[in-house]
Amino acid sequence: MSELELVVKAREFAAEEVLALTLRDPLGRALPDWEPGAHVDLLLGPGLERQYSLCGDPADRSAWRIAVLREPAGRGGSARVHEQLGEGGKVRVRGPRNHFRLEPAPRYRFLAGGIGITPILPMLAAAERSGAEWTLLYGGRTRSSMAFTGELARYGDRVTLAPQDATGLLDLDPVLAGLPDGTLVYCCGPGPLLDAVEERCPAGALRIERFRPKDQQASMDMEFEVVLARSGRTVPVPPDVSVLDAARAAGVEVLYSCTEGTCGTCETDVLEGAPEHRDSVLTEEERAAGDTMMICVSRCRGARIVLDL
């Protein structure tokens, strides 16, 4: 996976407390390809890695655009970006990575809440180019807190803006009731919105991306063994230790970031055994297949699992 040092070529506010950054290669080299739904990791300092969706034009390989919501009660990543990452500043960026791909479909229903508009924005342009029928319902606390509304205006009445202070909570039933066959629903935003959409959406139609881990109904943690196939090691994983931490303690280098099961950085191939999935990334179909797992949070259903590490 690519890790680059990029320079901030432009920064502007896309809404109240939402800072949009344009990142370029210092030597003007083309950046890696990406598709709608992709995100990158900003490596802001030791132990300070944050994931942000790419929200520019995938066809423009000269620049990446991200948008960062300032979160006063956060863990310091957004404050670092807002306060210290100025125009001309450099930042290390890893990625892109995509667990929220826009799949081909004849029609889409897009739903976004707050900063969740960022991965959806390039999806709209892609759906438009494909000739698909689509609509977007976009909510936020206030109109002034909702990012990129100027860019969305070109889509006319296919976009419905619903600031909560004016219209209340998003009215999901008219959007999701009676979906025609073949419709895909893409949703990104705060947890309560995603949970409400999940309750209303037909099985197999929904694609979501979470910024915070979903509450999991997990079984009691038990000790098991993980076989690190490439490293030739077998290590125990006690009840209070993650597979990620056990592998690192055994001296195995593993790429990871959020440690919450939301970013997908630590996704690892499962060669044998049955994972107990506790992530907020994989679809139900991917979970059922059991081919990969997020080792920062997921565990083993049995006594032994073999991983491609």
Side-chain angles (χ1 to χ4, degrees), residues 71-146:
E71 299 182 85
R75 296 177 294 166
S78 66
R80 178 75 61 89
V81 172
H82 276 248
E83 297 170 9
Q84 300 182 25
L85 195 53
E87 192 167 324
K90 292 183 178 180
V91 61
R92 294 205 66 78
V93 182
R94 185 170 60 219
R97 182 185 306 106
N98 201 339
H99 285 280
F100 194 42
R101 296 183 185 278
L102 184 67
E103 301 171 24
R107 64 192 64 82
Y108 300 96
R109 296 293 178 263
F110 297 105
L111 300 107
I115 198 63
I117 190 61
T118 51
I120 299 294
L121 200 60
M123 291 184 180
L124 304 182
E128 183 79 354
R129 287 193 300 270
S130 75
E133 182 269 317
W134 64 268
T135 62
L136 166 67
L137 177 61
Y138 175 26
R141 291 181 294 100
T142 64
R143 177 68 178 255
S144 61
S145 73
M146 297 168 65

Side-chain angles (χ1 to χ4, degrees), residues 149-170:
T149 54
E151 294 184 24
L152 292 171
R154 68 175 181 266
Y155 295 120
D157 60 6
R158 280 172 294 177
V159 172
T160 300
L161 302 181
Q164 186 175 344
D165 64 339
T167 64
L169 296 176
L170 291 181

